[in-house]
Amino acid sequence: MSLIPGRISVVIPAYNQEEYICDALTSLTRQKLGKWELEVLVVDDASTDQTANLVLGYQHKLERLELVSLPTNSGVSAARNAGLEAVTGEFFTFLDPDDWYAPEHLATLASALEELHVDFVRTDHVRVTGTNRVLHRAPQAVRGLPLNPADDIEPIDSPSMVDYAFVWAGMYRTDLMRSVDAYFFDADLYSAEDRLWLWKLHLRTSRYAVVSYPGVFYRRGLPGSLTQVFDERQLGFIPAYARILDEVRAHRDAERHLPKAMRQFFAIVCHHEKRAKNYPPEVRLEMKQQLRKIFTTIDVHIAQQVALEMDIARRRHILSFLQVGVAK
């Protein structure tokens, strides 16, 4: 599909979002685009409420609004991919259906992409919990200058840009993302898909920038969000990190980046183990089994070094998994 210069495509995956989708779309009608042109691709992931009808009600307000309807509920990765299939913009980004943009958000990011000649840009965001709003900054102090994405995978023991796992807090150059095979999400992942996608960007592209414009508002703690559910969708982080580790191992600088990937994985393992008391017994069992399997493939020497640099509680936990893996 040919791309339209000067066009920004926004992909919105939506499932049963009748309560919030109008806020997202209204924020798009209020964009101060200047020379830029807007395309909006809403993917209805087989909603059973009024989401699709509400989206259609905005077609007279957003000239290039397209509703893509999936026949069965397929998850956020598949929904984003369906939107990406239809993208015609020179640049693209994502908006979750329960979030919204400040009026100059899209123009600011697109102008930065154009002026800095980079492959993608990332930005800060505002976290919204009820009526409370808190600025959350991307973990890179250098702003408005081209940077090497691989250089910002590290440091190992403190937050870096691969820890800033919000694909909607950025904008991306469409032709470049397609050419380096970093465009689509792994459709079978129902969680942690954004982490794998961003790792690929940092490993496969050459220039990016961080800009200081917190123009995306991110709602937290909603009843349907992944942090509030305790079913098998929680386990998506395990196959996601199996693929991240494979991706890093295949990279020319694998020795440099593998400790960071492992530390990030280990921290998330400990996070889920702490929450596991809330999971149904069958989900807890499945998580244990999947983790034991992946730990048999871990590079033990590197993993032990990484674990020894973590706090005592997490160190003991990870070393116990490593001992099981070695024993097998």
Side-chain angles (χ1 to χ4, degrees):
M1 184 180 296
S2 59
L3 302 178
I4 309 299
R7 177 175 291 182
I8 303 165
S9 299
V10 178
V11 175
I12 307 176
Y15 174 67
N16 286 352
Q17 289 291 327
E18 63 181 7
E19 186 174 357
Y20 302 108
I21 190 68
C22 291
D23 291 344
L25 294 174
T26 297
S27 77
L28 290 170
T29 68
R30 295 172 178 171
Q31 289 300 295
K32 298 177 181 179
L33 294 167
K35 70 174 186 177
W36 303 99
E37 179 180 280
L38 177 62
E39 172 181 64
V40 180
L41 301 159
V42 180
V43 182
D44 177 30
D45 194 13
S47 296
T48 57
D49 65 0
Q50 293 300 307
T51 296
N53 289 332
L54 291 170
V55 172
L56 292 174
Y58 275 78
Q59 287 188 318
H60 68 288
K61 300 177 184 179
L62 291 164
E63 181 180 353
R64 280 167 292 277
L65 169 62
E66 180 180 349
L67 176 65
V68 179
S69 297
L70 299 184
T72 58
N73 182 248
S74 302
V76 65
S77 294
R80 283 187 181 138
N81 286 346
L84 289 170
E85 289 275 10
V87 160
T88 63
E90 176 184 8
F91 306 143
F92 72 92
T93 188
F94 305 100
L95 176 62
D96 282 354
D98 48 11
D99 299 338
W100 71 95
Y101 291 148
E104 296 180 355
H105 178 73
L106 293 175
T108 299
L109 269 58
S111 296
L113 256 176
E114 181 181 59
E115 293 164 9
L116 295 171
H117 305 287
V118 292
D119 305 329
F120 63 99
V121 295
R122 306 293 307 285
T123 189
D124 308 321
H125 69 275
V126 177
R127 294 186 173 184
V128 181
T129 307
T131 59
N132 186 40
R133 298 184 181 187
V134 178
L135 172 64
H136 191 76
R137 287 176 59 82
Q140 170 52 267
V142 178
R143 302 298 174 103
L145 293 174
L147 303 169
N148 183 341
D151 287 344
D152 283 356
I153 289 173
E154 284 74 34
I156 296 171
D157 56 355
S158 60
S160 74
M161 289 303 294
V162 292
D163 297 304
Y164 191 66
F166 310 108
V167 298
W168 37 258
M171 187 176 287
Y172 313 90
R173 194 176 294 273
T174 308
D175 58 354
L176 186 282
M177 296 302 115
R178 289 175 176 173
S179 70
V180 299
D181 193 23
Y183 191 58
F184 294 108
F185 293 81
D186 284 30
D188 62 325
L189 295 179
Y190 288 86
S191 60
E193 77 293 332
D194 43 4
R195 291 185 177 272
L196 174 59
W197 197 81
L198 287 167
W199 266 95
K200 288 180 180 180
L201 257 62
H202 279 265
L203 291 169
R204 298 183 184 185
T205 61
S206 59
R207 288 167 60 89
Y208 93 112
V210 180
V211 295
S212 296
Y213 187 76
V216 57
F217 293 79
Y218 165 47
R219 279 193 176 100
R220 302 194 70 201
L222 298 179
S225 68
L226 192 61
T227 58
Q228 304 300 309
V229 298
F230 303 100
D231 58 25
E232 66 279 355
R233 286 173 291 177
Q234 292 286 342
L235 306 187
F237 79 97
I238 303 173
Y241 272 94
R243 294 170 203 180
I244 288 170
L245 292 170
D246 284 344
E247 184 81 19
V248 175
R249 291 184 190 109
H251 193 264
R252 62 183 179 275
D253 292 324
E255 186 175 346
R256 173 186 173 191
H257 301 312
L258 198 52
K260 176 67 176 187
M262 285 192 182
R263 186 182 177 94
Q264 192 183 72
F265 173 51
F266 294 167
I268 292 175
V269 168
C270 293
H271 167 75
H272 280 275
E273 285 285 317
K274 188 179 295 185
R275 300 181 77 226
K277 63 180 181 296
N278 298 311
Y279 299 170
E282 63 274 14
V283 175
R284 290 201 302 271
L285 177 61
E286 180 64 21
M287 184 172 73
K288 289 283 188 186
Q289 291 173 339
Q290 287 192 33
L291 285 174
R292 285 171 181 162
K293 182 177 180 180
I294 193 174
F295 270 90
T296 64
T297 70
I298 288 287
D299 313 74
V300 176
H301 176 71
I302 300 174
Q304 288 175 335
Q305 290 299 117
V306 171
L308 289 172
E309 294 175 5
M310 301 178 78
D311 63 76
I312 293 175
R314 292 193 294 178
R315 180 194 312 164
R316 288 174 177 168
H317 199 70
I318 296 304
L319 288 176
S320 69
F321 270 112
L322 285 171
Q323 289 167 1
V324 171
V326 170
K328 288 194 172 185

